Amino acid sequence: MLSVEERKEIESKLADYPNSQAMSIEAMLIVQRHRGWVTDESLRDLSELLGLSVADLDGVATFYNLIRRKPVGRHVVHVCDSVSCWIMGVERVCSQLCTNLGIALGGTTADGRFTVLPIVCLGACDHAPAVMIDGKLHEDFNGQRIEEILAQYE
Ligand code: FES
């Protein structure tokens, strides 16, 4: 069930969009900010609130890679896997990051602290490799900086 806060926040933004379909991504991001991910139950409630089918909302969520349909850790590390970062060795850095955390790409640490996910170009190609942690961009993310940067996230 949507919380009172989630519902209020969504309803307050509805007027900013031409129709509820246009509001669907924002509505799911609001739920995600409150819960960390978008549950099936939330999707059903959003479907009623916005007058859209669950299948349509799920389709949007699947297409838009910043909407999460599975639980994640307290901090989400998005590792860019597009061309510039790939050329600058992101595969090696990602492997080192996952080894440090003891997980595979897509996994969550046992203590629920981090989830590591791939993402397309973050728009920081001139400072590749790039990662984004909880929405904050970290450029020139090389092996020497992994520990220092992760330590900023409890
Ligand atoms: S290719 Fe990674 S930031 Fe653009």
Side-chain angles (χ1 to χ4, degrees):
M1 188 170 202
L2 293 176
S3 69
V4 174
E5 293 79 25
E6 289 167 338
R7 190 172 284 270
K8 260 169 84 174
E9 205 174 321
I10 292 165
E11 286 172 345
S12 75
K13 295 201 172 175
L14 272 172
D16 298 342
Y17 292 83
N19 54 52
S20 55
Q21 196 162 17
M23 171 72 193
S24 59
I25 290 177
E26 178 66 26
M28 288 188 275
L29 288 173
I30 288 170
V31 169
Q32 185 168 281
R33 273 198 295 277
H34 284 267
R35 300 168 186 240
W37 63 294
V38 181
T39 64
D40 287 347
E41 191 188 50
S42 304
L43 217 57
R44 280 193 296 273
D45 290 347
L46 285 175
S47 162
E48 277 178 33
L49 182 64
L50 299 174
L52 300 168
S53 74
V54 170
D56 281 347
L57 287 172
D58 198 27
V60 171
T62 304
F63 179 76
Y64 189 61
N65 59 10
L66 288 179
I67 294 175
R68 302 184 287 266
R69 293 280 287 122
K70 292 182 178 165
V72 290
R74 294 194 299 285
H75 306 290
V76 177
V77 183
H78 280 110
V79 180
C80 174
D81 63 1
S82 294
V83 172
S84 296
C85 288
W86 184 77
I87 289 170
M88 294 305 288
V90 78
E91 261 183 332
R92 182 183 38 75
V93 172
C94 185
S95 167
Q96 189 180 342
L97 171 68
C98 288
T99 300
N100 279 21
L101 295 174
I103 57 174
L105 184 61
T108 298
T109 55
D111 61 2
R113 187 170 163 218
F114 290 108
T115 296
V116 180
L117 299 170
I119 196 165
V120 293
C121 182
L122 290 166
C125 312
D126 55 337
H127 287 281
V131 302
M132 190 170 66
I133 306 179
D134 297 345
K136 182 178 180 200
L137 187 65
H138 295 274
E139 300 171 327
D140 304 309
F141 189 76
N142 58 45
Q144 286 145 6
R145 299 190 60 215
I146 289 176
E147 293 290 337
E148 168 203 329
I149 290 172
L150 293 184
Q152 299 169 22
Y153 299 87
E154 283 306 312

